Amino acid sequence: MDALADDVWLLLPPLLIVVGLVGIVVPVLPGTFLLLAGMLVFALTTSGPVGWVLLALSVAVAGAGKALQYLVPGRRMKEQGVRTSTLVLAVLLGVVGFFVVPVVGAVVGFVLGIWLVELGRGRDHRQAWQRTKHAVVAVVHSVGIELIAGLVVAALYGVGLLLT
């Protein structure tokens, strides 16, 4: 039974890291949390300071990624006139869309939500569509920033495997 427990602890960190990376792209799972959980399990199972140093670096990278994830796209959206309230309503419509039309409904609901709110604000179809495009690009940038941070955390795990 001890050998099975050792195998579980050996396989758990990479599994959590892979599922965490998927969770960044598919926002149903808490991606960054799972990545850090994988690094925590790695730190707990390795002997010596390497695991803990890599965990600290992972937390720093993930924290910086989270900060940039909200600061950079948010600033660009404000420059283009997209309000935070627009995004909140769009996210709500995205959640509704997810349940109405599984998988693609979240994206359709989100984009439709931005467009409808912006259309209601200005009554100009072209301007509403421009702001919708800017908001969607900002969300893609946000996911990209988080994914890059996640890949750096995964690389730190790889470094940990080489060092231990």
Side-chain angles (χ1 to χ4, degrees), residues 8-43:
V8 168
W9 286 107
L10 183 67
L11 294 175
L12 193 57
L15 179 65
L16 286 169
I17 289 169
V18 169
V19 173
L21 289 172
V22 171
I24 290 171
V25 179
V26 182
V28 176
L29 301 169
T32 303
F33 175 76
L34 291 172
L35 284 162
L36 293 177
M39 290 303 289
L40 175 63
V41 171
F42 176 72

Side-chain angles (χ1 to χ4, degrees), residues 69-156:
Q69 177 186 4
Y70 292 106
L71 293 176
V72 174
R75 185 189 54 173
R76 288 185 184 157
M77 284 189 295
K78 284 182 184 177
E79 289 172 359
Q80 298 300 324
V82 179
R83 295 181 183 172
T84 304
S85 59
T86 300
L87 290 179
V88 170
L89 291 171
V91 166
L92 291 175
L93 277 174
V95 170
V96 170
F98 178 78
F99 290 107
V100 173
V101 181
V103 184
V104 296
V107 175
V108 172
F110 180 77
V111 173
L112 182 64
I114 294 172
W115 185 74
L116 288 173
V117 171
E118 289 298 327
L119 185 62
R121 275 183 52 204
R123 306 227 188 274
D124 179 13
H125 294 285
R126 210 176 85 198
Q127 188 179 28
W129 183 242
Q130 284 297 105
R131 287 183 176 163
T132 301
K133 288 192 298 187
H134 287 296
V136 169
V137 167
V139 169
V140 170
H141 285 159
S142 176
V143 171
I145 290 168
E146 186 179 11
L147 184 59
I148 289 169
L151 289 170
V152 171
V153 171
L156 288 172

